[in-house]
Amino acid sequence: MLSHVISPPRGYTKVSNGLVRQSRLGSDAKILVMYVQGLPEDGRDKALSEHARDLHMTGRRYQKAKTELVASGYLHEKRETVAGGRWRTVQVFSNFPLTDDQAARLRAGVPADGYELVSTGPVPTAHFPTVGAPSGPVVGGLLPADEELGKNESHPPTEAGSGDGEQDGREEPEGLEGAASEGPSEQPLEESSDGPEVAVAERVLLSLRHEQRQLHLGVREARTLAGLAAEWLRRGVTAADLRRVLCGGLPAEGVRSAVGFLAHRLQEKLPAAPESAPAPEPPPPPPALIACAGPGEEHMFRPHVPWATTCGPCHREEQRAFWAEVQARADAAPEPPPWRERFAAVAAEGAVSDTDTEAGAP
């Protein structure tokens, strides 16, 4: 086969050979990946179905292409809840196959180019030409290089605190410095203590990132605020209500510091302590003991009704004797005649009465 290829000077999209030669993707799926890859940044923020509609790819064609992209790792979808109890579907689309863990990292809001590339292939030598097989990029695995854990600049240290540190001439470790600058200067944050409420509160704080990305907390930050959030749970607020209060009504200009914002909201909107329930009324005293009127030796009992004069065993014995007497009287009574004889007797009495009436007539 003869081929003649002219490289375009501008207005083109670079496509990897792995995508072009992917046997598990159809032509529609490949064209969809190339189309989305060639769009500017501000033109990609919409659903994949809308991009497919721009290519006149609808119905069964789009569903087949989408299924192939999901199976090959180019498209990842996840449904999550938003404020107001509504659902939305978040799509992670890439021109390189991603694993579920890599897609979850991108979905968390950290851009892919913020991670350092982790190479699993052999290190190239310094010879020319370079020796070593090329390896593909690996997305995810490391935190961004410019992110420092354990620090929070929402509440800078006061001048008095900085002056003491300069006088002592000692430098505090990074983790202690971050912990000292997190709480407000007026009232330090409460440290979390052991207890079921603290564990539940920490899980609620860590789950806020799924509701609002602005409220993304680290493990240390969540443990610092767990004591304040646990007080809400002790005052009768459920975990769902606590999550709704913390995520609702965010500032229009955005949250600058998730730790400072949540600490202020947990302190200012703390509900009132539940009122103590009134003491229950004492149970009524038991009825007084009275003498039983039944036969046998004299004994006492507590009547369950005011009109009772005998205890339970004596009362049952009286009832048993009464019904035995009734049964005996019923057995001693003569058995009534059959119904045919009773009907014949009634008919005979009727005939006699009719004869007496005719005889007495003038």
Side-chain angles (χ1 to χ4, degrees), residues 150-237:
K151 278 190 155 186
N152 182 19
E153 303 298 334
S154 58
H155 302 285
T158 59
E159 295 181 0
S162 60
D164 296 341
E166 293 177 359
Q167 294 176 2
D168 295 342
R170 298 190 302 268
E171 294 184 359
E172 295 182 359
E174 179 178 328
L176 298 179
E177 179 184 357
S181 62
E182 284 180 358
S185 58
E186 298 179 358
Q187 181 179 2
L189 297 178
E190 300 179 11
E191 295 183 357
S192 61
S193 58
D194 296 337
E197 295 86 0
V198 176
V200 175
E202 184 176 347
R203 288 196 296 268
V204 171
L205 293 172
L206 290 175
S207 66
L208 297 180
R209 68 186 69 178
H210 305 297
E211 297 281 348
Q212 295 289 342
R213 293 184 177 180
Q214 305 178 66
L215 304 181
H216 190 288
L217 295 177
V219 177
R220 290 185 179 180
E221 297 171 339
R223 289 177 181 173
T224 304
L225 300 177
L228 291 174
E231 185 62 27
W232 286 60
L233 301 179
R234 297 189 187 101
R235 299 192 178 190
V237 180

XYZ file of all heavy atoms in Angstrom, residues 150-237:
659
model
N -0.648 19.485 57.221
C -0.472 19.910 58.596
C -0.407 21.402 58.789
O -0.172 21.870 59.893
N -0.580 22.192 57.737
C -0.511 23.643 57.832
C -1.862 24.252 57.524
O -2.563 23.784 56.653
C 0.533 24.206 56.875
C 1.965 24.141 57.417
C 2.884 24.926 56.522
C 4.091 25.402 57.272
N 4.924 26.281 56.457
N -2.177 25.322 58.210
C -3.411 26.043 57.951
C -3.160 27.508 58.252
O -2.816 27.861 59.371
C -4.547 25.500 58.822
C -5.843 26.217 58.532
O -5.992 26.847 57.493
N -6.782 26.120 59.462
N -3.289 28.321 57.214
C -2.994 29.736 57.352
C -4.250 30.558 57.596
O -4.255 31.762 57.412
C -2.278 30.246 56.091
C -0.996 29.499 55.765
C 0.051 29.630 56.855
O 0.008 30.647 57.587
O 0.894 28.752 56.969
N -5.388 29.906 57.967
C -6.619 30.666 58.166
C -6.533 31.551 59.409
O -7.132 32.608 59.454
C -7.792 29.704 58.294
O -7.575 28.808 59.377
N -5.813 31.107 60.451
C -5.665 31.891 61.672
C -4.173 32.056 61.954
O -3.557 31.190 62.584
C -6.353 31.197 62.849
C -7.803 30.963 62.609
N -8.752 31.958 62.665
C -8.465 29.838 62.261
C -9.931 31.466 62.403
N -9.793 30.177 62.146
N -3.540 33.104 61.484
C -2.102 33.277 61.719
C -1.821 33.472 63.196
O -2.670 33.952 63.955
C -1.748 34.521 60.901
C -3.040 35.259 60.786
C -4.115 34.226 60.731
N -0.623 33.106 63.661
C -0.286 33.284 65.084
C -0.231 34.750 65.455
O 0.034 35.630 64.637
C 1.080 32.601 65.192
C 1.637 32.607 63.804
C 0.455 32.494 62.886
N -0.527 35.011 66.731
C -0.523 36.390 67.218
C 0.905 36.866 67.409
O 1.874 36.105 67.383
C -1.283 36.461 68.550
O -0.648 35.581 69.482
C -2.724 35.996 68.359
N 1.030 38.185 67.635
C 2.369 38.752 67.816
C 3.008 38.251 69.098
O 4.205 38.034 69.175
C 2.270 40.279 67.830
C 1.795 40.862 66.505
C 1.737 42.363 66.572
O 2.058 42.929 67.646
O 1.393 42.996 65.547
N 2.147 38.048 70.133
C 2.702 37.576 71.394
C 3.295 36.197 71.226
O 4.354 35.869 71.718
C 1.624 37.562 72.475
N 2.577 35.336 70.487
C 3.075 33.992 70.276
C 4.345 34.000 69.461
O 5.278 33.249 69.703
N 4.429 34.894 68.432
C 5.638 34.936 67.624
C 6.795 35.496 68.409
O 7.940 35.091 68.255
C 5.387 35.777 66.364
O 5.034 37.102 66.744
N 6.496 36.460 69.313
C 7.580 37.025 70.104
C 8.164 36.014 71.065
O 9.365 35.952 71.287
N 7.309 35.185 71.666
C 7.807 34.168 72.570
C 8.700 33.194 71.845
O 9.715 32.735 72.362
C 6.632 33.426 73.218
C 5.818 34.371 74.090
O 6.359 35.436 74.456
O 4.640 34.049 74.372
N 8.297 32.849 70.618
C 9.101 31.898 69.868
C 10.457 32.467 69.534
O 11.465 31.767 69.538
N 10.514 33.812 69.252
C 11.802 34.393 68.922
C 12.697 34.480 70.151
O 13.910 34.288 70.082
C 11.580 35.782 68.331
C 10.891 35.745 66.971
C 10.632 37.136 66.458
O 10.979 38.096 67.197
O 10.097 37.275 65.337
N 12.072 34.755 71.325
C 12.875 34.853 72.521
C 13.459 33.508 72.923
O 14.573 33.412 73.412
C 12.047 35.431 73.672
C 11.636 36.895 73.423
C 10.733 37.404 74.538
O 10.457 36.688 75.488
N 10.287 38.647 74.409
N 12.661 32.474 72.777
C 13.164 31.153 73.144
C 14.270 30.706 72.224
O 15.130 29.919 72.609
C 12.021 30.134 73.112
C 10.988 30.465 74.181
O 11.333 31.233 75.106
O 9.854 29.967 74.056
N 14.216 31.149 70.961
C 15.254 30.763 70.033
C 15.100 29.350 69.516
O 16.045 28.760 69.022
N 13.895 28.773 69.679
C 13.660 27.397 69.218
C 12.649 27.439 68.096
O 11.714 28.242 68.112
C 13.145 26.512 70.357
C 14.125 26.372 71.507
C 13.619 25.286 72.452
N 12.299 25.599 72.958
C 12.075 26.272 74.096
N 13.089 26.735 74.808
N 10.847 26.482 74.504
N 12.810 26.546 67.145
C 11.874 26.408 66.040
C 10.977 25.214 66.312
O 11.451 24.114 66.583
C 12.632 26.184 64.722
C 13.453 27.388 64.300
C 14.091 27.148 62.963
O 13.885 26.044 62.419
O 14.792 28.043 62.463
N 9.676 25.451 66.260
C 8.736 24.354 66.493
C 8.635 23.499 65.246
O 8.798 23.984 64.128
C 7.345 24.917 66.836
C 7.340 25.682 68.142
C 5.935 26.166 68.463
O 5.041 25.894 67.635
O 5.750 26.786 69.491
N 8.345 22.214 65.408
C 8.147 21.360 64.236
C 6.979 21.850 63.408
O 6.101 22.572 63.885
C 7.887 19.972 64.843
C 8.436 20.048 66.240
C 8.289 21.465 66.664
N 6.994 21.412 62.164
C 5.967 21.876 61.221
C 4.575 21.469 61.663
O 3.625 22.214 61.563
C 6.253 21.315 59.831
C 5.236 21.721 58.781
C 5.615 21.167 57.436
O 6.790 21.043 57.171
O 4.718 20.876 56.646
N 4.387 20.229 62.150
C 3.073 19.774 62.573
C 2.552 20.558 63.757
O 1.383 20.914 63.836
N 3.460 20.898 64.752
C 3.015 21.666 65.903
C 2.687 23.086 65.522
O 1.767 23.698 66.062
C 4.106 21.647 66.982
C 4.455 20.265 67.558
C 5.562 20.392 68.581
C 3.217 19.617 68.165
N 3.443 23.668 64.583
C 3.164 25.035 64.141
C 1.805 25.117 63.466
O 1.053 26.047 63.680
C 4.264 25.499 63.205
C 4.030 26.920 62.675
C 5.093 27.303 61.680
O 6.003 26.490 61.464
O 4.996 28.406 61.117
N 1.486 24.111 62.646
C 0.187 24.116 61.976
C -0.936 23.957 62.974
O -1.988 24.565 62.857
N -0.728 23.090 63.989
C -1.784 22.887 64.972
C -2.006 24.129 65.808
O -3.129 24.439 66.213
C -1.444 21.697 65.867
N -0.929 24.899 66.099
C -1.077 26.093 66.913
C -1.761 27.208 66.168
O -2.393 28.070 66.758
C 0.302 26.567 67.398
N -1.649 27.252 64.843
C -2.232 28.338 64.064
C -3.622 28.028 63.567
O -4.212 28.826 62.874
C -1.335 28.633 62.852
O -1.282 27.485 62.021
N -4.152 26.838 63.893
C -5.473 26.491 63.360
C -6.595 27.144 64.144
O -7.531 27.664 63.594
C -5.655 24.967 63.375
C -4.903 24.281 62.269
C -5.106 22.783 62.321
O -5.792 22.315 63.232
O -4.580 22.101 61.436
N -6.534 27.118 65.472
C -7.647 27.587 66.279
C -7.711 29.088 66.341
O -6.719 29.793 66.143
N -8.883 29.676 66.652
C -8.997 31.110 66.830
C -8.214 31.557 68.047
O -7.997 30.813 68.999
C -10.505 31.332 67.004
C -11.151 30.072 66.525
C -10.161 28.993 66.730
N -7.790 32.839 68.040
C -6.982 33.356 69.131
C -7.791 33.537 70.397
O -7.268 33.480 71.494
C -6.355 34.691 68.716
O -7.377 35.621 68.349
N -9.125 33.764 70.270
C -9.944 34.006 71.450
C -10.247 32.716 72.201
O -10.166 32.654 73.401
C -11.257 34.688 71.041
C -11.026 36.048 70.392
C -12.339 36.671 69.978
O -13.377 36.016 70.177
O -12.326 37.811 69.471
N -10.622 31.690 71.514
C -11.018 30.438 72.148
C -10.426 29.286 71.364
O -10.774 29.094 70.205
C -12.552 30.314 72.192
C -13.022 29.034 72.864
C -14.533 28.972 72.902
O -15.201 29.863 72.407
N -15.049 27.914 73.471
N -9.512 28.511 71.937
C -8.911 27.399 71.197
C -9.923 26.318 70.924
O -10.898 26.141 71.654
C -7.795 26.912 72.135
C -8.241 27.332 73.511
C -8.992 28.614 73.309
N -9.679 25.562 69.834
C -10.575 24.481 69.476
C -10.462 23.358 70.479
O -9.390 23.059 71.006
C -10.227 23.958 68.069
C -10.389 24.962 66.954
C -9.963 24.332 65.642
C -11.803 25.478 66.863
N -11.563 22.700 70.710
C -11.571 21.588 71.653
C -10.935 20.361 71.012
O -11.177 20.045 69.854
C -13.016 21.267 72.059
C -13.718 22.438 72.727
C -15.141 22.071 73.086
O -15.482 20.879 73.010
O -15.897 22.964 73.452
N -10.131 19.703 71.799
C -9.496 18.504 71.294
C -10.475 17.348 71.374
O -11.281 17.237 72.296
C -8.249 18.192 72.124
C -7.169 19.261 71.992
C -5.930 18.878 72.766
O -5.965 17.816 73.420
O -4.952 19.634 72.712
N -10.387 16.484 70.398
C -11.298 15.350 70.350
C -10.921 14.342 71.420
O -9.760 14.110 71.717
C -11.230 14.675 68.972
O -9.929 14.202 68.748
N -11.894 13.738 72.039
C -11.701 12.711 73.052
C -12.353 11.431 72.567
O -13.118 11.417 71.623
C -12.312 13.163 74.383
O -13.695 13.453 74.216
N -12.027 10.375 73.266
C -12.583 9.093 72.878
C -14.075 9.073 73.158
O -14.563 9.609 74.152
C -11.878 7.975 73.659
C -10.396 7.919 73.293
O -10.061 8.392 72.192
O -9.604 7.418 74.110
N -14.801 8.392 72.322
C -16.242 8.269 72.499
C -16.904 7.981 71.179
O -16.372 8.321 70.105
N -18.087 7.383 71.194
C -18.772 7.087 69.927
C -19.179 8.338 69.171
O -19.152 8.362 67.945
C -19.988 6.267 70.390
C -20.208 6.649 71.824
C -18.840 6.929 72.378
N -19.543 9.410 69.874
C -19.943 10.632 69.176
C -18.773 11.243 68.427
O -18.930 11.785 67.331
C -20.520 11.653 70.167
C -21.815 11.240 70.838
C -21.564 10.405 72.069
O -20.370 10.159 72.374
O -22.547 9.984 72.716
N -17.578 11.186 69.005
C -16.404 11.768 68.352
C -16.073 11.013 67.068
O -15.751 11.607 66.034
C -15.204 11.765 69.317
C -13.953 12.285 68.615
C -15.520 12.613 70.547
N -16.173 9.672 67.098
C -15.896 8.883 65.894
C -16.909 9.181 64.797
O -16.558 9.334 63.624
C -15.890 7.401 66.242
N -18.187 9.281 65.172
C -19.214 9.597 64.174
C -19.012 11.007 63.626
O -19.144 11.247 62.418
C -20.611 9.444 64.801
C -21.692 9.897 63.825
C -20.859 8.000 65.202
N -18.668 11.948 64.493
C -18.444 13.323 64.040
C -17.265 13.413 63.085
O -17.310 14.150 62.090
C -18.224 14.235 65.245
N -16.214 12.665 63.355
C -15.060 12.683 62.449
C -15.419 12.131 61.085
O -14.998 12.663 60.052
C -13.924 11.873 63.069
C -12.638 11.914 62.257
C -11.507 11.178 62.942
O -11.649 10.855 64.143
O -10.480 10.915 62.288
N -16.228 11.062 61.049
C -16.659 10.524 59.745
C -17.526 11.527 59.000
O -17.438 11.642 57.769
C -17.412 9.210 59.953
C -16.509 8.051 60.363
C -17.218 6.731 60.170
N -18.383 6.614 61.030
C -18.356 6.075 62.247
N -17.230 5.612 62.743
N -19.458 5.992 62.971
N -18.377 12.256 59.713
C -19.224 13.268 59.058
C -18.361 14.380 58.471
O -18.574 14.828 57.336
C -20.241 13.832 60.059
C -20.976 15.024 59.463
C -21.251 12.765 60.460
N -17.360 14.823 59.201
C -16.494 15.897 58.708
C -15.690 15.462 57.484
O -15.506 16.230 56.541
C -15.550 16.348 59.823
C -16.212 17.054 61.014
C -15.207 17.278 62.125
C -16.834 18.377 60.591
N -15.226 14.215 57.481
C -14.477 13.736 56.324
C -15.370 13.522 55.104
O -14.881 13.541 53.974
C -13.768 12.427 56.676
C -12.604 12.540 57.669
C -12.079 11.176 58.027
C -11.495 13.407 57.101
N -16.667 13.312 55.326
C -17.578 13.096 54.198
C -18.092 14.385 53.582
O -18.807 14.341 52.583
C -18.776 12.258 54.655
O -19.572 12.965 55.591
N -17.747 15.546 54.154
C -18.238 16.807 53.594
C -17.670 17.076 52.211
O -18.259 17.816 51.431
C -17.870 17.965 54.539
C -18.491 17.930 55.934
C -18.042 19.128 56.724
C -20.008 17.872 55.854
N -16.518 16.479 51.888
C -15.915 16.706 50.574
C -16.804 16.181 49.459
O -16.726 16.671 48.330
C -14.560 16.014 50.518
C -14.617 14.492 50.538
C -13.252 13.853 50.630
N -12.653 14.086 51.932
C -11.474 13.611 52.299
N -10.776 12.889 51.442
N -10.996 13.838 53.501
N -17.637 15.179 49.746
C -18.525 14.648 48.722
C -19.719 15.564 48.469
O -20.321 15.505 47.392
C -19.018 13.262 49.133
C -17.916 12.288 49.429
N -17.000 11.888 48.472
C -17.560 11.664 50.575
C -16.141 11.047 49.013
N -16.451 10.889 50.291
N -20.077 16.397 49.455
C -21.169 17.346 49.281
C -20.675 18.664 48.680
O -21.254 19.174 47.733
C -21.833 17.609 50.635
C -22.476 16.388 51.265
C -23.816 16.068 50.661
O -24.344 16.914 49.914
O -24.322 14.967 50.921
N -19.604 19.198 49.256
C -19.033 20.464 48.796
C -17.517 20.311 48.741
O -16.882 20.008 49.758
C -19.408 21.617 49.750
C -20.891 21.933 49.803
C -21.383 22.589 48.527
O -20.595 23.104 47.737
N -22.689 22.589 48.335
N -16.949 20.512 47.557
C -15.502 20.374 47.428
C -14.746 21.440 48.212
O -13.578 21.256 48.542
C -15.112 20.463 45.953
C -15.617 19.283 45.119
C -15.108 19.382 43.696
N -15.533 18.233 42.906
C -15.237 18.068 41.627
N -14.507 18.979 40.993
N -15.665 16.996 40.971
N -15.395 22.556 48.508
C -14.725 23.605 49.271
C -14.471 23.194 50.713
O -13.627 23.778 51.379
C -15.573 24.885 49.253
C -15.928 25.380 47.864
C -16.800 26.617 47.925
O -16.368 27.669 48.373
N -18.040 26.492 47.491
N -15.207 22.199 51.193
C -15.085 21.767 52.581
C -14.245 20.505 52.687
O -14.536 19.617 53.478
C -16.481 21.522 53.175
C -17.444 22.710 53.110
C -18.765 22.355 53.737
C -16.831 23.939 53.787
N -13.204 20.414 51.892
C -12.314 19.252 51.918
C -11.389 19.360 53.131
O -10.655 20.331 53.285
C -11.506 19.196 50.618
C -10.757 17.921 50.445
N -9.654 17.607 51.178
C -10.973 16.858 49.613
C -9.188 16.427 50.815
N -9.980 15.945 49.874
N -11.429 18.369 54.019
C -10.633 18.353 55.229
C -9.672 17.175 55.208
O -9.993 16.115 54.665
C -11.513 18.255 56.478
C -12.451 19.426 56.771
C -13.293 19.114 57.992
C -11.669 20.708 56.999
N -8.521 17.371 55.818
C -7.605 16.270 56.036
C -7.947 15.521 57.318
O -8.833 15.925 58.099
N -7.225 14.441 57.560
C -7.510 13.619 58.733
C -7.205 14.394 60.009
O -7.992 14.388 60.966
C -6.691 12.319 58.666
C -6.918 11.484 59.913
C -7.073 11.507 57.433
N -6.071 15.103 60.048
C -5.742 15.883 61.235
C -6.746 17.002 61.473
O -7.139 17.279 62.610
C -4.341 16.469 61.090
C -3.221 15.434 61.158
C -1.875 16.128 61.131
N -0.771 15.193 61.211
C 0.511 15.538 61.208
N 0.840 16.822 61.128
N 1.461 14.617 61.279
N -7.151 17.646 60.406
C -8.123 18.735 60.556
C -9.463 18.212 61.055
O -10.109 18.840 61.902
C -8.292 19.448 59.216
C -7.022 20.107 58.714
C -7.147 20.624 57.291
O -8.043 20.130 56.565
O -6.355 21.490 56.912
N -9.890 17.053 60.541
C -11.158 16.481 61.002
C -11.090 16.086 62.472
O -12.046 16.273 63.231
C -11.530 15.273 60.136
N -9.945 15.541 62.904
C -9.812 15.178 64.314
C -9.803 16.411 65.208
O -10.270 16.362 66.351
C -8.530 14.378 64.509
C -8.601 12.972 63.925
C -7.288 12.236 64.069
N -7.359 10.903 63.475
C -6.330 10.085 63.344
N -5.124 10.483 63.770
N -6.476 8.887 62.795
N -9.278 17.530 64.706
C -9.274 18.750 65.501
C -10.685 19.276 65.727
O -11.009 19.763 66.810
C -8.422 19.823 64.798
O -7.111 19.302 64.577
C -8.325 21.079 65.642
N -11.537 19.165 64.719
C -12.911 19.668 64.817
C -13.888 18.627 65.327
O -15.068 18.940 65.514
C -13.378 20.165 63.446
C -12.572 21.306 62.817
C -13.117 21.625 61.439
C -12.605 22.544 63.697
N -13.440 17.395 65.531
C -14.381 16.334 65.932
C -14.987 16.600 67.294
O -16.143 16.235 67.546
C -13.665 14.975 65.922
N -14.243 17.239 68.201
C -14.796 17.517 69.522
C -15.974 18.475 69.456
O -16.983 18.285 70.152
N -15.852 19.537 68.631
C -16.969 20.480 68.484
C -18.173 19.822 67.827
O -19.314 20.039 68.232
C -16.508 21.687 67.661
C -15.493 22.623 68.326
C -15.029 23.667 67.331
C -16.091 23.271 69.549
N -17.922 19.025 66.779
C -19.043 18.369 66.097
C -19.692 17.317 66.982
O -20.902 17.087 66.883
C -18.539 17.739 64.793
N -18.903 16.654 67.848
C -19.488 15.642 68.729
C -20.465 16.258 69.716
O -21.437 15.607 70.128
C -18.380 14.902 69.470
N -20.240 17.529 70.106
C -21.175 18.188 71.014
C -22.542 18.353 70.372
O -23.572 18.285 71.057
C -20.609 19.547 71.435
C -21.445 20.277 72.473
C -21.537 19.502 73.784
O -20.615 18.721 74.093
O -22.544 19.689 74.495
N -22.585 18.568 69.064
C -23.873 18.621 68.358
C -24.613 17.287 68.485
O -25.820 17.254 68.719
C -23.644 18.962 66.889
C -23.286 20.385 66.602
C -22.202 21.064 67.070
C -24.011 21.320 65.800
N -22.191 22.353 66.603
C -23.281 22.537 65.815
C -25.176 21.244 65.060
C -23.717 23.661 65.124
C -25.608 22.361 64.360
C -24.886 23.565 64.406
N -23.876 16.198 68.298
C -24.508 14.883 68.383
C -24.992 14.604 69.799
O -26.044 13.964 69.980
C -23.516 13.805 67.937
C -22.964 13.951 66.512
C -21.972 12.843 66.211
C -24.092 13.948 65.486
N -24.256 15.066 70.804
C -24.698 14.851 72.187
C -25.954 15.642 72.506
O -26.683 15.298 73.444
C -23.587 15.244 73.161
C -22.322 14.396 73.027
C -21.350 14.693 74.150
N -20.070 14.022 73.936
C -19.001 14.618 73.466
N -19.044 15.912 73.171
N -17.875 13.944 73.294
N -26.208 16.711 71.771
C -27.403 17.527 72.014
C -28.581 17.110 71.146
O -29.525 17.888 70.971
C -27.079 18.998 71.783
C -25.996 19.514 72.717
C -25.868 21.010 72.711
N -24.855 21.475 73.658
C -24.663 22.744 73.998
N -25.418 23.683 73.446
N -23.726 23.072 74.868
N -28.514 15.922 70.570
C -29.672 15.374 69.865
C -29.710 15.593 68.379
O -30.678 15.213 67.725
N -28.686 16.204 67.771
C -28.644 16.437 66.323
C -28.142 15.157 65.645
O -27.132 14.582 66.066
C -27.737 17.627 65.979
C -27.698 17.857 64.478
C -28.226 18.877 66.698
